[in-house]
Amino acid sequence: MDIFSNEKKEAIGLLRFIYKRRKLLLGGILLGIGIGLAAYFILPDKFRSNGIIYPSNPYNREELISNPQFGYDIEAERLMQLLESRSMRDKVVKQFGLVDYYGIDTTKNGWREVLTVKYVGDVQFERSKYLSIVISAELKNPELAADIVNYIIEWVNEYRMQIYSGNINAELEYLKKRRDLQQKRFKAVRAKIYAVKDTNDVENIIENYLLKSAKDQYYDSDFINNVQMTEWLEDYKTQKHKFHEYDLAYQKALEVSKRPVLKDYVIDNAVPVHKPVFPSLIINVLLGAIGGFFVSFFIVWILGQWKQLRRTIDSQ
């Protein structure tokens, strides 16, 4: 017993149906091809330009010259977030006047959503299996497509710096305030010491105190041997040591902040490509033929079912 007998019967029936109505189906296919060809000549050409960049690795800066490295997964993901951000999109739209390019009426509600859909469809970012980022733009003007890609490649570095600068400036401000406050503290202690014993150089008092503590030679005239002054001198040493520590931290942070943010490695800049990628003659013909076949098949099948239904009704 053939377990696939029903399936074979259905397949044979389908083939007979197609063969009996082959002229109608062929006409539908030809009509679909004609529509595909018409769309090919009517639709505007689009041109694609691509650029490739690699994120830098910020963790091996000391080896930037001797052992430069590309970034890894995390750097590639962060770069993708920057490229796909609304701020980046708004910057590109404004720089190249894409609202006018797309012919969007800004007086209508929802125009921003329409703009976003068109932009995302034309400007795309893809992370390759090699952890590089491929930036592509597909527009009606090949020069405009290349300019947009190259602008994004250049601007993303500036955009990253703008984001970093907020935290960097806040940290520098904190370190500077901490240093200045500590400087006031140790100067306040020094002022108290001056108020009790005026000398040409208050550091002589500190030095003599240290010499006395070390049982070394010191000057009796500049040495303080009362308990309160001893506490102040110890406090002065502590506060001044903290000041130097905080000042060093601030100076180091200030020096690091002056370093430029590492730029992405540019593998390929975009160049204008004058061969259109859309519409495609072959794809249009194939889609037209397939669409024409299925539409005509559906219409023929519906008509056949309708005739069969009418015969059934008439026979009753």
Side-chain angles (χ1 to χ4, degrees), residues 192-257:
K192 287 194 297 186
I193 296 174
Y194 267 118
V196 174
K197 184 177 179 63
D198 190 9
T199 64
N200 294 329
D201 187 355
V202 71
E203 300 297 341
N204 290 340
I205 298 178
I206 301 294
E207 184 65 24
N208 274 295
Y209 177 76
L210 294 174
L211 292 172
K212 173 65 175 177
S213 300
K215 297 181 179 179
D216 206 340
Q217 294 181 348
Y218 62 93
Y219 298 98
D220 289 325
S221 60
D222 284 336
F223 181 69
I224 305 301
N225 56 5
N226 69 69
V227 175
Q228 188 179 43
M229 186 64 73
T230 300
E231 292 177 354
W232 289 350
L233 289 168
E234 286 291 340
D235 189 28
Y236 177 81
K237 284 173 23 181
T238 302
Q239 298 300 338
K240 190 172 184 181
H241 176 74
K242 277 189 176 182
F243 167 74
H244 286 306
E245 179 183 334
Y246 292 167
D247 183 61
L248 180 61
Y250 171 69
Q251 296 299 334
K252 284 184 177 179
L254 187 62
E255 180 183 354
V256 172
S257 70

Side-chain angles (χ1 to χ4, degrees), residues 75-89 119 125 152 155-161 163-164 264:
E75 286 80 25
E77 290 296 333
R78 288 172 179 170
L79 182 54
M80 284 291 292
Q81 289 294 321
L82 293 177
L83 293 170
E84 294 179 341
S85 66
R86 180 178 57 83
S87 298
M88 174 63 76
R89 181 175 67 248
Y119 176 88
F125 311 98
I152 292 174
W155 171 249
V156 72
N157 294 297
E158 181 67 24
Y159 181 34
R160 183 189 292 110
M161 183 60 203
I163 295 174
Y164 287 166
D264 301 314

Side-chain angles (χ1 to χ4, degrees), residues 51-63:
I52 303 176
I53 58 177
Y54 265 102
S56 58
N57 186 348
Y59 305 108
N60 69 333
R61 185 155 196 157
E62 302 304 323
E63 299 178 355

Side-chain angles (χ1 to χ4, degrees), residues 174-185:
Y174 163 75
L175 293 175
K176 186 177 184 299
K177 286 182 177 179
R178 186 180 68 166
R179 182 203 65 173
D180 294 345
L181 179 61
Q182 188 58 35
Q183 187 178 41
K184 291 179 181 179
R185 286 173 179 168

